[in-house]
Amino acid sequence: QGFSLILALVGAAFLQVRHLQMLQQNSYFASRYFGWLKSSFSLLKILPFVAMIALLAFGLSFGETTFTESMPFFSAIALWLGVIALKKNNSSIKKLVFTARIKRTLAFTIFLLSFLGALCLVFSTAAKCILLSVFYLLVFAPPLVTVISLFCLKPVEKIISSYYINDAKKLLASKEDLKVIGITGSYGKTGTKYILSRLLSEKFNVLMTPESFNTPMGVVRTVREKLRGDTEIFVCEMGAKNIGDIKEICDIVHPDCGLITSVGPQHLETFLNVENVLKTKFELFAEPISLSTTN
């Protein structure tokens, strides 16, 4: 039984990697993560989970013996599904980055399932069947585990992120001569960032946000880890998937000037229309703008 529980735990961790990957790509917002779940929903994808729930109900109804005898099968299926999910992450363009927050969330998931697994070994009869049902239900329902983790860790993450943001603000404020250039756009912002940074580096000491570190916490991490005493210009890439995202980054770095590379129909699953894309990109500047003013 112990080996079966460990096997299921490994499978659950692999399954969770895929969902944490999508949670990370959606800036850890539950609403955006649910949007991804909704957009990726299909009957074929949920059939394995429906089948597992049916089997769990079957095992529960026939008692502890039937359930414990079925554990190796459940665990093997969990591991198989986990390996598939892990391959999807490894083949993605944007793989899961194991940041401190991801490590905390994954550790919480493993702790939660390990605790339930330990209780399964302690209790017997009806109580054991119920605990095993809950354990395997969570194993085969990674979205549920993701939501539980988000809810339970939210106070901790809020305290940690507030500390990091305030620390980054202090570091930026301490450099009075530092010039901050914000770059955003639906397309081309990363390439523009590299070109501009290369040109400016001929005369100035330049720091730029690496790769696609264009979220608030990605920007904060860049400032806290890479800002040096001799840095003269900070080129900051700013990404957005919702109205207010650019403003959130601007409130941290307070750009002296900005560059918008393009405005187009990107992330319409959250922006809904190009008008909202335009408004969000122009949060880089003080004055609001609408499509009507650009005609």
Side-chain angles (χ1 to χ4, degrees):
Q1 293 180 27
F3 177 76
S4 294
L5 289 172
I6 292 172
L7 204 66
L9 189 61
V10 173
F14 288 170
L15 279 168
Q16 200 63 26
V17 164
R18 173 63 175 167
H19 287 263
L20 290 178
Q21 175 197 13
M22 301 315 301
L23 181 66
Q24 187 178 70
Q25 289 184 21
N26 287 283
S27 304
Y28 301 97
F29 285 103
S31 58
R32 301 182 193 180
Y33 169 70
F34 288 140
W36 168 76
L37 284 176
K38 183 179 179 181
S39 65
S40 63
F41 174 84
S42 71
L43 184 61
L44 185 62
K45 289 181 179 179
I46 68 166
L47 276 177
F49 305 113
V50 172
M52 287 303 104
I53 292 172
L55 286 170
L56 289 174
F58 173 81
L60 184 60
S61 62
F62 281 89
E64 180 185 349
T65 302
T66 303
F67 212 140
T68 53
E69 289 177 352
S70 304
M71 285 174 62
F73 172 75
F74 291 144
S75 299
I77 294 295
L79 186 61
W80 175 63
L81 292 173
V83 170
I84 293 174
L86 200 61
K87 286 181 178 179
K88 285 184 179 180
N89 171 66
N90 293 335
S91 62
S92 298
I93 296 175
K94 283 189 176 182
K95 299 178 178 63
L96 177 65
V97 180
F98 282 88
T99 61
R101 180 168 186 174
I102 289 295
K103 290 176 182 177
R104 285 193 296 271
T105 307
L106 191 56
F108 178 83
T109 298
I110 294 172
F111 168 77
L112 176 63
L113 291 174
S114 298
F115 180 72
L116 279 172
L119 290 178
C120 291
L121 296 176
V122 172
F123 287 90
S124 59
T125 62
K128 183 171 186 175
C129 289
I130 294 172
L131 288 169
L132 282 170
S133 295
V134 174
F135 174 83
Y136 280 105
L137 178 62
L138 292 178
V139 167
F140 290 112
L144 181 58
V145 178
T146 301
V147 172
I148 292 172
S149 299
L150 272 176
F151 177 78
C152 293
L153 294 177
K154 187 175 181 178
V156 176
E157 297 301 338
K158 187 174 182 180
I159 293 170
I160 293 173
S161 62
S162 295
Y163 170 78
Y164 286 158
I165 289 171
N166 290 332
D167 187 48
K169 286 181 177 180
K170 289 177 183 177
L171 288 170
L172 291 168
S174 67
K175 295 187 60 60
E176 297 180 358
D177 297 329
L178 179 71
K179 299 298 180 184
V180 180
I181 303 173
I183 298 179
T184 189
S186 299
Y187 318 97
K189 54 184 176 291
T190 301
T192 302
K193 173 187 67 178
Y194 279 105
I195 294 170
L196 181 61
S197 298
R198 180 66 184 86
L199 291 171
L200 291 172
S201 64
E202 292 293 320
K203 188 175 180 181
F204 304 97
N205 291 320
V206 180
L207 168 66
M208 69 173 183
T209 48
E211 300 171 355
S212 294
F213 276 45
N214 55 20
T215 64
M217 295 313 296
V219 171
V220 165
R221 181 179 175 183
T222 301
V223 171
R224 296 184 70 247
E225 294 181 0
K226 298 182 180 296
L227 187 68
R228 304 194 311 267
D230 61 348
T231 302
E232 297 172 284
I233 297 176
F234 176 33
V235 180
C236 179
E237 180 182 344
M238 302 178 179
K241 290 185 178 179
N242 271 288
I243 293 174
D245 285 358
I246 300 299
K247 183 180 183 302
E248 185 179 358
I249 299 176
C250 288
D251 289 342
I252 297 171
V253 302
H254 301 289
D256 298 285
C257 55
L259 174 63
I260 298 176
T261 60
S262 60
V263 175
Q266 285 282 71
H267 303 301
L268 293 184
E269 68 277 6
T270 50
F271 279 123
L272 301 181
N273 55 60
V274 178
E275 173 80 22
N276 289 334
V277 177
L278 182 70
K279 288 179 180 179
T280 303
K281 298 307 179 185
F282 274 84
E283 290 171 0
L284 186 56
F285 304 103
E287 295 297 324
I289 192 167
S290 65
L291 283 174
S292 58
T293 62
T294 61
N295 292 332

